[in-house]
mmCIF file of all heavy atoms in Angstrom:
data_model
loop_
_atom_site.group_PDB
_atom_site.id
_atom_site.type_symbol
_atom_site.label_atom_id
_atom_site.label_comp_id
_atom_site.label_asym_id
_atom_site.label_seq_id
_atom_site.Cartn_x
_atom_site.Cartn_y
_atom_site.Cartn_z
ATOM 1 N N TRP A 23 120.865 47.133 85.965
ATOM 2 C CA TRP A 23 119.712 46.829 85.117
ATOM 3 C C TRP A 23 120.016 45.704 84.154
ATOM 4 O O TRP A 23 119.128 44.886 83.844
ATOM 5 C CB TRP A 23 119.303 48.097 84.333
ATOM 6 C CG TRP A 23 118.417 49.034 85.116
ATOM 7 C CD1 TRP A 23 117.400 48.688 85.952
ATOM 8 C CD2 TRP A 23 118.420 50.455 85.095
ATOM 9 N NE1 TRP A 23 116.807 49.798 86.500
ATOM 10 C CE2 TRP A 23 117.419 50.916 85.975
ATOM 11 C CE3 TRP A 23 119.198 51.399 84.434
ATOM 12 C CZ2 TRP A 23 117.154 52.257 86.205
ATOM 13 C CZ3 TRP A 23 118.917 52.768 84.641
ATOM 14 C CH2 TRP A 23 117.900 53.161 85.520
ATOM 15 N N GLY A 24 121.266 45.674 83.673
ATOM 16 C CA GLY A 24 121.621 44.641 82.692
ATOM 17 C C GLY A 24 121.611 43.211 83.287
ATOM 18 O O GLY A 24 121.253 42.265 82.575
ATOM 19 N N ILE A 25 121.998 43.113 84.559
ATOM 20 C CA ILE A 25 122.070 41.756 85.156
ATOM 21 C C ILE A 25 120.728 41.418 85.905
ATOM 22 O O ILE A 25 120.652 40.343 86.522
ATOM 23 C CB ILE A 25 123.254 41.604 86.139
ATOM 24 C CG1 ILE A 25 123.148 42.642 87.302
ATOM 25 C CG2 ILE A 25 124.562 41.788 85.392
ATOM 26 C CD1 ILE A 25 124.165 42.405 88.372
ATOM 27 N N LEU A 26 119.762 42.293 85.808
ATOM 28 C CA LEU A 26 118.470 42.060 86.494
ATOM 29 C C LEU A 26 117.803 40.770 86.071
ATOM 30 O O LEU A 26 117.168 40.105 86.901
ATOM 31 C CB LEU A 26 117.563 43.276 86.257
ATOM 32 C CG LEU A 26 116.437 43.481 87.284
ATOM 33 C CD1 LEU A 26 116.996 43.535 88.699
ATOM 34 C CD2 LEU A 26 115.686 44.768 86.939
ATOM 35 N N PRO A 27 117.961 40.296 84.810
ATOM 36 C CA PRO A 27 117.375 39.007 84.465
ATOM 37 C C PRO A 27 117.798 37.835 85.367
ATOM 38 O O PRO A 27 117.037 36.926 85.614
ATOM 39 C CB PRO A 27 117.844 38.788 83.005
ATOM 40 C CG PRO A 27 118.013 40.151 82.448
ATOM 41 C CD PRO A 27 118.501 40.973 83.604
ATOM 42 N N LEU A 28 119.060 37.908 85.864
ATOM 43 C CA LEU A 28 119.529 36.862 86.775
ATOM 44 C C LEU A 28 118.671 36.825 88.045
ATOM 45 O O LEU A 28 118.344 35.760 88.556
ATOM 46 C CB LEU A 28 121.003 37.137 87.166
ATOM 47 C CG LEU A 28 122.032 37.007 86.034
ATOM 48 C CD1 LEU A 28 123.390 37.472 86.577
ATOM 49 C CD2 LEU A 28 122.101 35.573 85.558
ATOM 50 N N TYR A 29 118.262 38.001 88.509
ATOM 51 C CA TYR A 29 117.418 38.064 89.750
ATOM 52 C C TYR A 29 116.018 37.513 89.459
ATOM 53 O O TYR A 29 115.531 36.681 90.235
ATOM 54 C CB TYR A 29 117.324 39.503 90.197
ATOM 55 C CG TYR A 29 116.857 39.669 91.644
ATOM 56 C CD1 TYR A 29 117.758 39.690 92.687
ATOM 57 C CD2 TYR A 29 115.504 39.761 91.948
ATOM 58 C CE1 TYR A 29 117.316 39.783 94.004
ATOM 59 C CE2 TYR A 29 115.046 39.909 93.229
ATOM 60 C CZ TYR A 29 115.964 39.907 94.281
ATOM 61 O OH TYR A 29 115.534 40.005 95.546
ATOM 62 N N TRP A 30 115.414 37.955 88.350
ATOM 63 C CA TRP A 30 114.036 37.476 88.052
ATOM 64 C C TRP A 30 114.032 35.983 87.741
ATOM 65 O O TRP A 30 112.997 35.319 88.050
ATOM 66 C CB TRP A 30 113.446 38.275 86.891
ATOM 67 C CG TRP A 30 113.358 39.728 87.104
ATOM 68 C CD1 TRP A 30 113.705 40.711 86.221
ATOM 69 C CD2 TRP A 30 112.961 40.459 88.319
ATOM 70 N NE1 TRP A 30 113.542 41.955 86.777
ATOM 71 C CE2 TRP A 30 113.062 41.824 88.016
ATOM 72 C CE3 TRP A 30 112.475 40.037 89.549
ATOM 73 C CZ2 TRP A 30 112.735 42.802 89.013
ATOM 74 C CZ3 TRP A 30 112.167 41.020 90.505
ATOM 75 C CH2 TRP A 30 112.283 42.355 90.219
ATOM 76 N N LYS A 31 115.097 35.470 87.240
ATOM 77 C CA LYS A 31 115.188 34.016 86.949
ATOM 78 C C LYS A 31 115.130 33.225 88.234
ATOM 79 O O LYS A 31 114.611 32.096 88.266
ATOM 80 C CB LYS A 31 116.434 33.683 86.187
ATOM 81 C CG LYS A 31 116.404 34.009 84.683
ATOM 82 C CD LYS A 31 115.555 33.032 83.901
ATOM 83 C CE LYS A 31 115.659 33.230 82.408
ATOM 84 N NZ LYS A 31 114.788 32.309 81.657
ATOM 85 N N LEU A 32 115.681 33.778 89.338
ATOM 86 C CA LEU A 32 115.604 33.096 90.621
ATOM 87 C C LEU A 32 114.185 32.995 91.149
ATOM 88 O O LEU A 32 113.878 32.157 92.003
ATOM 89 C CB LEU A 32 116.466 33.848 91.641
ATOM 90 C CG LEU A 32 117.963 33.898 91.393
ATOM 91 C CD1 LEU A 32 118.655 34.804 92.352
ATOM 92 C CD2 LEU A 32 118.580 32.460 91.429
#
Side-chain angles (χ1 to χ4, degrees):
W23 275 322
I25 62 173
L26 205 51
L28 294 172
Y29 196 90
W30 302 135
K31 282 286 187 182
L32 295 173

